[in-house]
Amino acid sequence: MKTYCASTLPFSPYSLKEFVGELSQNGISAIELAQAHFSDVEAETIAELREETGLHFKSLLSTVRVDAPDGLEAQISILNTAQRLGIPIVSIASGGSENATAHEIDTIIDHLKTVTTEAQTRNLTLALYAHEGSLAYNIESTQQIFNAIPSENFGFYYSPFHFYRAGDNPVIALQTLSERLNSVYFNCGVDSQTGSEPFWAPEMDFSTICKEIERVGYDQEIMLIYLGLKANTSQPIIKGVSNARAKLETYFS
């Protein structure tokens, strides 16, 4: 049976104490903190929640553009926060754009190398996620970055949805980059194209994707980020995460 992580990004309007306990009761064993929840939280609060819920606070989600004017400093500040909270992984985007020039690519890679070095000195690991609109958006561009940064502290955060959106085969993406794999996530919620739940791009071959995740030997938590719901409380989001977890279990069985 797989273990699961939930992103707190959809829960940004709510405090951690309002929902993490219920996530734990609904089959979630780990948490990835979004900026709304890690920016000002005290280490004592995270320690208390660990003790009360048994949850593993696995990672921080950074959406900072490392190529923004203050992007490098902001990214390093997030590393400091992870170190302060005792959270070992920081999930990061590449920044840039799909049409980045050679000079822009070199600049981004240099910045990512700096962030990787800073992570290593703090005993932290980075997890790079591909995303449309950024430099790392398809197999080729993501692999280019990994080839340039061979550090063990710089790993791959796999989402089948974003490679599918880039026009790549998600299974081939995983096969190509699996040597750097350290995290996996699925985009869940209300699909903007079809209105269906619980997964975005429901036409993807989830069964084959899940079999490949198992084949490459990934055995850590699988993160679920449940977006697109119009909710006035945290309850529908918790239910959505729970439904997505249950559905994903059927693909792994």
Side-chain angles (χ1 to χ4, degrees):
M1 187 171 179
K2 298 298 178 186
T3 55
Y4 292 89
C5 175
S7 170
T8 70
L9 184 62
F11 298 93
S12 293
Y14 313 106
S15 70
L16 289 172
K17 292 184 177 181
E18 291 181 75
F19 62 87
V20 294
E22 289 187 69
L23 285 172
S24 176
Q25 295 166 15
N26 280 273
I28 298 300
S29 60
I31 296 293
E32 177 166 275
L33 294 175
Q35 189 150 359
H37 295 111
F38 70 67
S39 292
D40 300 316
V41 71
E42 297 295 333
E44 292 76 13
T45 300
I46 298 299
E48 289 171 6
L49 290 172
R50 284 191 182 107
E51 181 69 23
E52 292 171 6
T53 65
L55 286 167
H56 169 43
F57 285 81
K58 178 180 182 178
S59 53
L60 304 185
L61 172 63
S62 169
T63 58
V64 167
R65 291 177 57 94
V66 73
D67 56 327
D70 59 349
L72 186 57
E73 293 79 6
Q75 201 74 270
I76 292 172
S77 176
I78 292 172
L79 298 183
N80 290 336
T81 298
Q83 185 178 37
R84 175 174 62 82
L85 298 177
I87 294 176
I89 297 174
V90 177
S91 306
I92 64 170
S94 66
S97 71
E98 297 177 13
N99 300 312
T101 65
H103 175 71
E104 290 168 340
I105 292 170
D106 288 344
T107 298
I108 289 168
I109 288 175
D110 283 346
H111 286 342
L112 290 174
K113 285 179 178 178
T114 298
V115 177
T116 301
T117 299
E118 294 289 340
Q120 185 173 357
T121 64
R122 293 164 176 79
N123 198 28
L124 300 172
T125 299
L126 302 177
L128 177 74
Y129 58 89
H131 200 289
E132 61 267 23
S134 65
L135 173 58
Y137 75 99
N138 63 6
I139 296 173
E140 181 181 3
S141 60
T142 305
Q143 189 170 37
Q144 179 181 6
I145 293 172
F146 281 118
N147 287 344
I149 308 174
S151 171
E152 293 182 357
N153 294 78
F154 188 72
F156 173 42
Y157 201 169
Y158 171 65
S159 165
F161 172 77
H162 290 294
F163 287 102
Y164 175 82
R165 283 288 298 270
D168 285 333
N169 184 318
V171 173
I172 293 176
L174 180 54
Q175 292 170 344
T176 303
L177 298 162
S178 62
E179 288 187 3
R180 304 293 289 274
L181 182 67
N182 65 6
S183 300
V184 169
Y185 76 100
F186 283 81
N187 296 81
C188 313
V190 180
D191 184 88
S192 61
Q193 304 298 315
T194 66
S196 63
E197 297 181 60
F199 296 110
W200 292 4
E203 67 275 14
M204 286 193 302
D205 187 350
F206 284 90
S207 181
T208 299
I209 290 167
C210 290
K211 285 183 174 61
E212 189 62 24
I213 290 171
E214 292 191 313
R215 191 195 68 78
V216 301
Y218 182 79
D219 60 359
Q220 303 302 306
E221 297 95 349
I222 293 171
M223 201 275 283
L224 303 172
I225 182 166
Y226 209 88
L227 301 169
L229 289 182
K230 295 181 179 179
N232 295 319
T233 71
S234 63
Q235 298 304 314
I237 308 172
I238 293 169
K239 182 179 179 181
V241 170
S242 179
N243 289 343
R245 181 193 60 77
K247 182 64 174 178
L248 203 54
E249 280 290 319
T250 68
Y251 293 122
F252 280 112
S253 63

